[in-house]
Amino acid sequence: MKKLKMVNNYTIKTTYYDRKMDEKLLTQINERFPWIISYVKSHNCLDFQTGNDPKTNRSWFSIYRGTGRILTFRSHSGKVNEICDVAEAYKELMQPDFFRNPTPDQFDTYLAKIASMEKFKRYYEDTEEVHNEGYYQTLIGRRYTFEVKDSDDFILFDKELVIGFKTKDIKDEWNKEIVDQQTLKIEQLRKTYNGTLPEEIKPEYGEFDFLGLNTNGDILIMELKQNDPTKTALSPIQTSYYYLQFQKLAREDDKLYQRIKAMIEQKIDYGLIGSNYKNKIPLKLSGRIIPCVIVGEDNRLSETICERYRFIRDLFLPEMKAYTYIREEGTLVTSEKLETE
């Protein structure tokens, strides 16, 4: 009989979601680069993205500028890579030694070069007045992790994630019922909606933008759509796919809460989530999943887009919440135009 693979003290049967990093990786980062966490936190354009893939025994600790990954530390099977990984486009900016052993002064130079180059602006901002999605991803990501306030009800504990599968065949089979359900609703949408819709509407999607947890034990699935009208209107379809996926995962994985709790506690211990949330971690998951969309400024949303969004929301996810944000602060507030009929 073929044994199922044991990883991180549990068995991968079909799916997995465990993004707690290898402690050896974090220990080496703290020993070799004790300045790096405080450096990122002191630069508003930077944020963290961390993760783990138990199927391949890999962990990573990345620094992002908007949606651009500018530095990554990795480990594999408990062994920490000596060279810091980075996207190829960024390697040209600095000497190889920087990516092996960066210093704060060198990082200042690195950031200045990135900010000055046109080809990197699409990951963060076009001009001083027009920001891209990466800007808001960083703004909101920082606000609800290490900048979380005592008055906040929730934190963001993961971003840009996917549910893992042992094999592609298992993934396709596991998702089939969800994709079929999405496809049927898309067909219903085309039959019942009188307005204009895109020629192609996908029934399945890739990465979740944000996962959050509130003090009630509710999971928050948050999709960031900034100021893209078409994506805003269709966001209930994408979020519905994630909602159904996570709902199924929660039913099947009786250790999900323990893994999420361990991820949050690890991030609090290393300063990636504010310590004031430690006493607010719920004792268990409630079983409730709250789907949300985060959009740009309300005044940029036309009545047509709002009407289309509400129609699609009512068909796919009637319980979906819509938020916008306070500029330069990142605090989420209810989107009055999308929530009000």
Side-chain angles (χ1 to χ4, degrees), residues 316-327:
F316 281 82
L317 276 178
E319 64 270 49
M320 187 164 174
K321 304 298 182 184
Y323 296 96
T324 184
Y325 38 76
I326 298 175
R327 283 181 65 89

Side-chain angles (χ1 to χ4, degrees), residues 1-15 54-55 166-167 170:
M1 178 181 292
K2 185 177 180 181
K3 292 183 179 179
L4 295 175
K5 186 177 181 182
M6 290 293 296
V7 180
N8 291 354
N9 298 320
Y10 70 95
T11 303
I12 295 176
K13 296 178 181 178
T14 55
T15 63
K55 186 170 73 171
K166 188 178 178 184
T167 67
I170 288 175

Side-chain angles (χ1 to χ4, degrees), residues 21 30 54 76 90 115 159 186 210 223 268 273 314 338:
M21 290 174 288
N30 273 342
H76 182 213
Y90 294 103
K159 68 178 183 179
I186 290 170
F210 294 118
E223 276 302 301
I268 290 173
I273 290 176
D314 292 346
L338 290 180

